[in-house]
Coordinates of all heavy atoms in Angstrom, one line a residue:
M1012 N 82.0 -62.3 164.1 CA 82.4 -60.9 164.5 C 83.9 -60.7 164.4 O 84.8 -61.5 164.7 CB 82.0 -60.8 166.0 CG 82.3 -59.4 166.6 SD 81.6 -59.2 168.2 CE 81.2 -57.6 168.0
S1013 N 84.2 -59.5 163.7 CA 85.7 -59.2 163.5 C 86.3 -58.6 164.7 O 85.8 -58.2 165.7 CB 85.8 -58.3 162.3 OG 85.4 -57.0 162.7
D1014 N 87.7 -58.8 164.7 CA 88.5 -58.2 165.9 C 89.3 -57.0 165.4 O 90.2 -56.7 165.9 CB 89.4 -59.3 166.4 CG 90.5 -59.7 165.3 OD1 90.3 -59.5 164.1 OD2 91.4 -60.4 165.8
H1015 N 88.7 -56.3 164.5 CA 89.3 -55.0 164.0 C 89.5 -53.9 165.0 O 88.6 -53.8 165.9 CB 88.6 -54.4 162.8 CG 88.6 -55.2 161.5 ND1 87.6 -55.6 160.9 CD2 89.7 -55.8 160.9 CE1 87.9 -56.2 159.9 NE2 89.1 -56.4 159.8
V1016 N 90.6 -53.3 165.0 CA 90.7 -52.0 165.8 C 90.7 -50.9 164.7 O 91.4 -50.9 163.8 CB 92.0 -52.0 166.7 CG1 92.3 -50.7 167.4 CG2 92.1 -53.2 167.6
Y1017 N 90.1 -49.9 165.2 CA 89.7 -48.8 164.3 C 90.3 -47.4 164.9 O 90.5 -47.3 166.2 CB 88.2 -48.4 164.1 CG 87.5 -49.5 163.4 CD1 86.9 -50.4 164.1 CD2 87.4 -49.5 162.0 CE1 86.2 -51.5 163.3 CE2 86.8 -50.5 161.3 CZ 86.1 -51.5 162.0 OH 85.5 -52.5 161.3
K1018 N 90.9 -46.6 164.0 CA 91.2 -45.3 164.4 C 90.3 -44.3 163.7 O 89.8 -44.5 162.6 CB 92.7 -45.0 163.9 CG 93.1 -43.6 164.2 CD 94.6 -43.5 164.2 CE 95.0 -42.0 164.6 NZ 94.9 -41.7 166.0
K1019 N 90.0 -43.2 164.4 CA 89.1 -42.3 163.7 C 89.6 -40.9 163.7 O 90.4 -40.5 164.5 CB 87.8 -42.2 164.8 CG 86.7 -41.2 164.2 CD 85.3 -41.5 164.9 CE 85.4 -41.3 166.4 NZ 84.1 -41.1 167.0
I1020 N 89.5 -40.4 162.4 CA 90.0 -39.0 162.2 C 89.0 -38.1 161.8 O 87.8 -38.6 161.4 CB 91.2 -39.1 161.1 CG1 90.7 -39.7 159.8 CG2 92.4 -39.9 161.7 CD1 91.6 -39.4 158.7
E1021 N 89.3 -36.8 161.7 CA 88.4 -35.8 161.3 C 88.9 -35.1 160.0 O 90.0 -34.8 160.0 CB 88.2 -34.9 162.4 CG 87.0 -34.0 162.3 CD 86.5 -33.2 163.6 OE1 87.1 -32.0 163.5 OE2 85.8 -33.7 164.3
L1022 N 88.0 -35.1 159.0 CA 88.3 -34.5 157.8 C 87.3 -33.4 157.4 O 86.1 -33.4 157.9 CB 88.1 -35.3 156.6 CG 89.1 -36.6 156.7 CD1 88.9 -37.5 155.6 CD2 90.6 -36.2 156.6
V1023 N 87.6 -32.3 156.8 CA 86.6 -31.3 156.3 C 86.8 -31.3 154.7 O 87.9 -31.1 154.2 CB 87.0 -29.9 156.9 CG1 86.0 -28.8 156.3 CG2 87.0 -30.0 158.4
G1024 N 85.7 -31.4 154.0 CA 85.6 -31.4 152.6 C 84.7 -30.2 152.2 O 83.7 -29.8 153.0
S1025 N 84.9 -29.7 150.9 CA 84.1 -28.6 150.5 C 83.8 -28.8 149.0 O 84.5 -29.6 148.3 CB 84.6 -27.2 150.7 OG 85.9 -27.1 150.0
S1026 N 82.7 -28.2 148.5 CA 82.2 -28.2 147.2 C 81.3 -27.0 146.8 O 80.6 -26.7 147.6 CB 81.4 -29.5 146.9 OG 80.9 -29.6 145.6
P1027 N 81.5 -26.5 145.7 CA 80.5 -25.5 145.3 C 79.2 -26.1 144.7 O 78.2 -25.2 144.6 CB 81.1 -24.8 144.1 CG 82.1 -25.9 143.5 CD 82.5 -26.6 144.7
K1028 N 79.1 -27.4 144.7 CA 77.9 -28.0 144.1 C 77.0 -28.7 145.1 O 75.7 -28.4 145.0 CB 78.3 -29.1 143.0 CG 79.0 -28.5 141.9 CD 79.3 -29.5 140.8 CE 80.1 -29.1 139.6 NZ 80.5 -30.2 138.7
S1029 N 77.5 -29.6 146.0 CA 76.6 -30.2 147.0 C 77.3 -30.7 148.2 O 78.5 -30.9 148.2 CB 76.0 -31.4 146.2 OG 77.0 -32.4 145.8
I1030 N 76.5 -31.1 149.1 CA 77.0 -31.8 150.3 C 77.6 -33.0 150.0 O 78.7 -33.5 150.5 CB 75.8 -31.9 151.3 CG1 75.4 -30.6 151.9 CG2 76.4 -32.8 152.5 CD1 74.0 -30.6 152.6
E1031 N 77.0 -33.8 149.1 CA 77.4 -35.1 148.7 C 78.8 -35.0 148.0 O 79.8 -35.9 148.3 CB 76.6 -35.8 147.8 CG 75.3 -36.3 148.5 CD 74.2 -35.1 148.6 OE1 74.4 -34.0 147.9 OE2 73.2 -35.5 149.3
E1032 N 79.0 -34.0 147.1 CA 80.3 -33.8 146.6 C 81.4 -33.3 147.5 O 82.5 -33.8 147.3 CB 80.2 -32.9 145.3 CG 81.5 -32.9 144.6 CD 81.3 -31.9 143.4 OE1 80.9 -32.4 142.3 OE2 81.6 -30.6 143.4
A1033 N 80.9 -32.7 148.5 CA 81.8 -32.2 149.6 C 82.5 -33.5 150.3 O 83.6 -33.6 150.6 CB 81.3 -31.2 150.5
V1034 N 81.6 -34.4 150.6 CA 81.9 -35.7 151.3 C 82.8 -36.4 150.3 O 84.0 -36.9 150.7 CB 80.7 -36.6 151.5 CG1 81.2 -37.9 152.0 CG2 79.8 -35.9 152.7
E1035 N 82.5 -36.5 149.1 CA 83.4 -37.3 148.1 C 84.7 -36.6 147.9 O 85.7 -37.4 147.8 CB 82.7 -37.2 146.7 CG 81.4 -38.1 146.7 CD 81.7 -39.7 146.8 OE1 82.8 -40.2 146.5 OE2 80.6 -40.4 147.3
N1036 N 84.8 -35.4 147.9 CA 86.1 -34.7 147.8 C 87.0 -34.9 148.9 O 88.2 -35.3 148.7 CB 85.8 -33.2 147.7 CG 85.2 -32.8 146.3 OD1 85.3 -33.5 145.3 ND2 84.8 -31.5 146.2
A1037 N 86.4 -34.9 150.2 CA 87.2 -35.2 151.5 C 87.8 -36.7 151.3 O 88.9 -37.0 151.6 CB 86.4 -35.1 152.7
L1038 N 86.9 -37.6 150.9 CA 87.3 -39.0 151.0 C 88.3 -39.4 149.9 O 89.2 -40.1 150.1 CB 86.0 -39.9 150.9 CG 85.1 -40.0 152.0 CD1 83.8 -40.8 151.7 CD2 85.8 -40.4 153.4
E1039 N 88.1 -38.7 148.8 CA 89.1 -38.9 147.6 C 90.4 -38.5 148.0 O 91.4 -39.1 147.7 CB 88.5 -38.2 146.4 CG 89.3 -38.4 145.1 CD 89.5 -39.8 144.6 OE1 88.4 -40.6 144.9 OE2 90.5 -40.1 144.0
R1040 N 90.4 -37.3 148.6 CA 91.7 -36.9 149.0 C 92.4 -37.8 150.1 O 93.7 -38.0 150.0 CB 91.7 -35.3 149.4 CG 93.1 -34.8 150.0 CD 94.0 -34.5 148.9 NE 93.5 -33.4 147.9 CZ 93.7 -32.1 148.0 NH1 94.3 -31.7 149.0 NH2 93.2 -31.3 147.2
A1041 N 91.6 -38.1 151.0 CA 92.2 -38.9 152.0 C 92.6 -40.3 151.6 O 93.6 -40.8 152.1 CB 91.1 -39.1 153.1
R1042 N 91.9 -40.8 150.5 CA 92.2 -42.1 150.1 C 93.7 -42.3 149.5 O 94.3 -43.3 149.6 CB 91.3 -42.4 148.8 CG 91.5 -43.7 148.2 CD 90.4 -44.0 147.2 NE 90.5 -43.1 146.0 CZ 91.4 -43.6 145.0 NH1 91.9 -44.8 145.0 NH2 91.4 -42.8 143.9
K1043 N 94.4 -41.1 149.1 CA 95.6 -41.1 148.6 C 96.8 -41.5 149.7 O 97.8 -41.8 149.3 CB 96.0 -39.7 148.1 CG 95.2 -39.4 146.8 CD 95.4 -38.0 146.3 CE 94.5 -37.7 145.0 NZ 94.8 -36.5 144.5
T1044 N 96.4 -41.0 151.1 CA 97.3 -41.4 152.0 C 96.9 -42.3 153.2 O 97.7 -42.7 153.9 CB 97.7 -40.1 152.7 OG1 96.7 -39.4 153.1 CG2 98.5 -39.2 151.6
I1045 N 95.6 -42.6 153.3 CA 95.0 -43.3 154.4 C 94.5 -44.6 153.7 O 93.7 -44.6 152.9 CB 94.0 -42.6 155.0 CG1 94.5 -41.3 155.7 CG2 93.3 -43.5 156.0 CD1 93.4 -40.4 156.2
R1046 N 94.9 -45.8 154.4 CA 94.5 -47.3 153.8 C 93.3 -47.6 154.8 O 93.2 -47.1 155.8 CB 95.7 -48.1 154.0 CG 96.8 -47.8 153.0 CD 97.9 -49.0 153.1 NE 98.2 -49.4 154.5 CZ 99.1 -48.8 155.1 NH1 99.7 -47.7 154.8 NH2 99.4 -49.2 156.4
N1047 N 92.6 -48.5 154.3 CA 91.6 -49.3 155.0 C 90.5 -48.4 155.5 O 90.0 -48.8 156.7 CB 92.3 -50.0 156.0 CG 93.3 -50.9 155.7 OD1 93.3 -51.5 154.5 ND2 94.5 -51.0 156.5
M1048 N 90.1 -47.3 154.7 CA 88.9 -46.5 155.4 C 87.6 -47.4 155.2 O 87.5 -48.1 154.1 CB 88.7 -45.3 154.5 CG 89.7 -44.2 154.8 SD 89.4 -42.6 153.9 CE 89.5 -43.2 152.3
R1049 N 86.9 -47.4 156.3 CA 85.6 -48.4 156.4 C 84.4 -47.6 156.5 O 83.3 -48.1 156.1 CB 85.8 -49.4 157.5 CG 87.0 -50.3 157.4 CD 86.9 -51.2 156.3 NE 88.0 -52.1 156.3 CZ 88.8 -52.3 155.3 NH1 88.6 -51.8 154.1 NH2 89.8 -53.2 155.4
W1050 N 84.3 -46.5 157.2 CA 83.0 -45.9 157.4 C 83.3 -44.3 157.6 O 84.4 -43.8 157.9 CB 82.2 -46.4 158.6 CG 83.0 -46.6 159.9 CD1 83.7 -47.6 160.3 CD2 83.3 -45.5 160.8 NE1 84.4 -47.4 161.5 CE2 84.0 -45.9 161.9 CE3 82.9 -44.1 161.0 CZ2 84.4 -45.4 163.0 CZ3 83.2 -43.4 162.1 CH2 84.0 -44.1 163.1
F1051 N 82.2 -43.5 157.5 CA 82.2 -42.1 158.0 C 81.0 -41.7 158.5 O 80.0 -42.4 158.2 CB 82.6 -41.3 156.6 CG 81.5 -41.1 155.6 CD1 80.6 -40.1 155.7 CD2 81.3 -42.0 154.6 CE1 79.7 -39.9 154.8 CE2 80.3 -41.9 153.7 CZ 79.4 -40.9 153.8
E1052 N 81.0 -40.6 159.2 CA 79.8 -40.0 159.7 C 79.9 -38.5 159.4 O 81.0 -38.0 159.6 CB 79.5 -40.3 161.3 CG 80.6 -39.9 162.1 CD 80.3 -40.1 163.5 OE1 79.7 -39.4 164.2 OE2 80.9 -41.3 164.0
V1053 N 78.8 -37.7 159.0 CA 78.8 -36.4 158.9 C 78.6 -35.8 160.3 O 77.5 -36.0 160.9 CB 77.9 -35.9 157.9 CG1 77.9 -34.4 157.9 CG2 78.2 -36.6 156.6
A1054 N 79.5 -35.0 160.8 CA 79.5 -34.4 162.1 C 78.8 -33.0 162.1 O 78.2 -32.6 162.9 CB 80.8 -34.3 162.8
E1055 N 79.3 -32.2 161.0 CA 78.8 -30.9 160.8 C 78.5 -30.6 159.3 O 79.4 -31.1 158.5 CB 79.8 -29.8 161.3 CG 80.0 -29.9 162.7 CD 81.2 -28.9 163.2 OE1 82.0 -28.4 162.4 OE2 81.1 -28.4 164.3
T1056 N 77.7 -29.8 159.0 CA 77.4 -29.2 157.7 C 77.2 -27.8 157.7 O 76.6 -27.2 158.6 CB 76.1 -29.8 157.1 OG1 76.2 -31.2 157.3 CG2 75.9 -29.5 155.6
R1057 N 78.0 -27.1 156.8 CA 77.9 -25.7 156.7 C 77.7 -25.2 155.3 O 78.2 -25.9 154.4 CB 79.2 -25.0 157.3 CG 79.4 -25.0 158.8 CD 80.6 -24.4 159.2 NE 81.8 -25.2 158.8 CZ 82.2 -26.3 159.4 NH1 81.6 -26.8 160.4 NH2 83.3 -27.0 158.9
G1058 N 77.1 -24.0 155.0 CA 77.0 -23.5 153.8 C 77.5 -22.0 153.9 O 77.2 -21.4 154.9
F1059 N 78.2 -21.6 152.8 CA 78.7 -20.2 152.9 C 77.8 -19.5 151.9 O 77.6 -19.9 150.8 CB 80.2 -20.2 152.5 CG 81.1 -20.7 153.7 CD1 81.3 -22.1 153.8 CD2 81.6 -19.9 154.7 CE1 82.0 -22.5 154.8 CE2 82.3 -20.4 155.7 CZ 82.6 -21.9 155.8
I1060 N 77.6 -18.2 152.3 CA 76.6 -17.4 151.3 C 77.4 -16.2 150.7 O 78.2 -15.7 151.5 CB 75.6 -16.9 152.2 CG1 74.8 -18.0 152.9 CG2 74.6 -15.8 151.4 CD1 73.8 -17.5 154.0
E1061 N 77.2 -16.1 149.5 CA 77.9 -14.8 148.8 C 76.7 -14.2 148.1 O 76.2 -15.0 147.2 CB 79.1 -15.2 148.0 CG 79.8 -14.0 147.5 CD 81.2 -14.4 147.1 OE1 81.9 -15.2 147.7 OE2 81.6 -13.9 146.0
D1062 N 76.6 -12.9 148.1 CA 75.5 -12.2 147.3 C 74.2 -12.8 147.6 O 73.3 -13.0 146.5 CB 75.9 -12.1 145.9 CG 77.1 -11.3 145.6 OD1 77.4 -10.4 146.3 OD2 78.0 -11.8 144.6
G1063 N 73.8 -13.4 148.8 CA 72.5 -13.8 148.9 C 72.3 -15.3 148.5 O 71.3 -15.8 148.7
K1064 N 73.3 -15.9 148.0 CA 73.2 -17.3 147.4 C 74.3 -18.3 148.0 O 75.2 -17.8 148.5 CB 73.2 -17.3 145.9 CG 72.3 -16.6 145.2 CD 72.4 -16.6 143.7 CE 71.3 -15.8 143.2 NZ 71.3 -15.8 141.5
V1065 N 74.0 -19.5 148.0 CA 74.9 -20.4 148.5 C 76.1 -20.5 147.5 O 76.0 -20.7 146.4 CB 74.2 -21.9 148.4 CG1 75.4 -22.9 148.9 CG2 73.1 -22.0 149.5
D1066 N 77.3 -20.2 148.2 CA 78.5 -20.2 147.4 C 79.1 -21.6 147.4 O 79.6 -22.0 146.4 CB 79.5 -19.2 147.9 CG 80.7 -19.0 147.2 OD1 80.6 -18.6 145.9 OD2 81.9 -19.2 147.7
H1067 N 79.2 -22.2 148.5 CA 79.8 -23.5 148.5 C 79.4 -24.2 149.9 O 78.9 -23.5 150.9 CB 81.4 -23.6 148.3 CG 82.1 -23.0 149.5 ND1 82.4 -21.7 149.6 CD2 82.7 -23.5 150.5 CE1 83.1 -21.3 150.6 NE2 83.3 -22.5 151.3
W1068 N 79.5 -25.5 149.9 CA 79.2 -26.4 151.0 C 80.4 -26.9 151.7 O 81.4 -27.0 150.9 CB 78.4 -27.7 150.7 CG 77.1 -27.2 150.1 CD1 76.8 -27.0 148.8 CD2 75.8 -27.0 150.9 NE1 75.4 -26.7 148.7 CE2 74.9 -26.7 150.0 CE3 75.5 -27.0 152.1 CZ2 73.6 -26.3 150.2 CZ3 74.2 -26.6 152.5 CH2 73.3 -26.3 151.6
Q1069 N 80.5 -27.0 152.9 CA 81.6 -27.5 153.8 C 81.0 -28.6 154.8 O 80.0 -28.3 155.4 CB 82.3 -26.4 154.4 CG 83.6 -26.9 155.0 CD 84.3 -25.7 155.7 OE1 83.9 -25.1 156.7 NE2 85.5 -25.3 155.1
V1070 N 81.6 -29.8 154.8 CA 81.1 -30.8 155.8 C 82.4 -31.3 156.5 O 83.5 -31.3 156.1 CB 80.6 -32.0 155.0 CG1 79.4 -31.6 154.4 CG2 81.5 -32.6 153.9
T1071 N 82.1 -31.6 157.9 CA 83.1 -32.1 158.6 C 82.8 -33.6 158.8 O 81.6 -33.9 159.2 CB 83.3 -31.5 160.1 OG1 83.5 -30.0 159.9 CG2 84.3 -32.1 161.0
L1072 N 83.6 -34.5 158.5 CA 83.4 -35.9 158.5 C 84.4 -36.5 159.7 O 85.4 -36.1 159.8 CB 83.9 -36.6 157.2 CG 83.3 -36.1 156.0 CD1 84.0 -36.8 154.8 CD2 81.8 -36.3 155.9
K1073 N 83.8 -37.6 160.3 CA 84.6 -38.5 161.2 C 84.8 -39.7 160.3 O 83.7 -40.3 159.9 CB 84.0 -38.6 162.5 CG 84.0 -37.4 163.4 CD 83.4 -37.5 164.7 CE 83.4 -36.2 165.3 NZ 82.9 -36.4 166.7
V1074 N 85.9 -40.1 160.1 CA 86.3 -41.3 159.2 C 87.0 -42.4 160.0 O 88.0 -42.0 160.7 CB 87.2 -41.0 158.0 CG1 87.5 -42.1 157.1 CG2 86.4 -39.8 157.1
G1075 N 86.4 -43.6 160.0 CA 87.2 -44.7 160.7 C 87.7 -45.6 159.7 O 87.4 -45.9 158.6
F1076 N 89.0 -46.1 160.1 CA 89.8 -47.0 159.4 C 90.3 -48.1 160.2 O 90.7 -47.8 161.2 CB 90.8 -46.3 158.4 CG 91.8 -45.5 159.1 CD1 93.1 -46.0 159.5 CD2 91.5 -44.2 159.5 CE1 94.0 -45.2 160.2 CE2 92.5 -43.4 160.2 CZ 93.7 -44.0 160.5
T1077 N 90.6 -49.2 159.6 CA 91.2 -50.4 160.4 C 92.7 -50.1 160.4 O 93.5 -49.6 159.5 CB 90.9 -51.6 159.8 OG1 91.3 -51.7 158.4 CG2 89.4 -52.0 159.9
L1078 N 93.3 -50.4 161.6 CA 94.6 -50.4 161.7 C 95.4 -51.8 161.3 O 94.7 -52.8 161.3 CB 95.0 -50.2 163.3 CG 94.5 -48.9 163.9 CD1 95.0 -48.9 165.4 CD2 95.2 -47.7 163.2
D1079 N 96.5 -51.6 160.7 CA 97.2 -52.8 160.2 C 97.6 -53.8 161.4 O 97.8 -53.2 162.5 CB 98.5 -52.5 159.6 CG 98.2 -51.7 158.1 OD1 97.1 -52.0 157.5 OD2 99.1 -51.0 157.6
K1080 N 97.6 -55.1 161.2 CA 98.0 -55.9 162.3 C 99.4 -55.9 162.4 O 100.1 -55.7 161.5 CB 97.5 -57.3 162.1 CG 95.9 -57.3 162.1 CD 95.4 -58.7 162.0 CE 93.9 -58.7 162.4 NZ 93.3 -59.9 162.6

């Protein structure tokens, strides 16, 4: 069993293509400034409608990362 201590943050990602791409977009951007990301959970999913069709997806993620010792 590990003795990691985690911090949890909330991110919001979006994509015109899919929920999965919205998740990837959020994680890719966070990766530039946050080290040691280990897990995520999708807290909310939203879709925006324009002219009766899905325009884009938006997801709220909770991301856990380990703190440096």
Side-chain angles (χ1 to χ4, degrees):
M1012 182 167 216
S1013 68
D1014 63 347
H1015 291 131
V1016 173
Y1017 294 90
K1018 177 161 181 71
K1019 186 165 55 169
I1020 60 169
E1021 197 168 86
L1022 303 173
V1023 179
S1025 63
S1026 167
K1028 293 182 182 177
S1029 68
I1030 294 168
E1031 291 84 3
E1032 187 174 272
V1034 169
E1035 294 291 338
N1036 289 343
L1038 294 175
E1039 181 65 26
R1040 178 70 64 89
R1042 185 176 71 89
K1043 295 177 181 180
T1044 58
I1045 299 170
R1046 297 185 313 276
N1047 306 320
M1048 289 190 294
R1049 300 290 185 236
W1050 53 265
F1051 73 90
E1052 61 184 273
V1053 176
E1055 295 179 333
T1056 305
R1057 285 179 294 283
F1059 290 88
I1060 302 167
E1061 189 164 315
D1062 296 325
K1064 295 183 180 180
V1065 175
D1066 184 62
H1067 68 277
W1068 296 95
Q1069 190 176 65
V1070 294
T1071 301
L1072 305 175
K1073 293 183 181 184
V1074 178
F1076 58 95
T1077 55
L1078 298 175
D1079 292 337
K1080 289 188 177 192

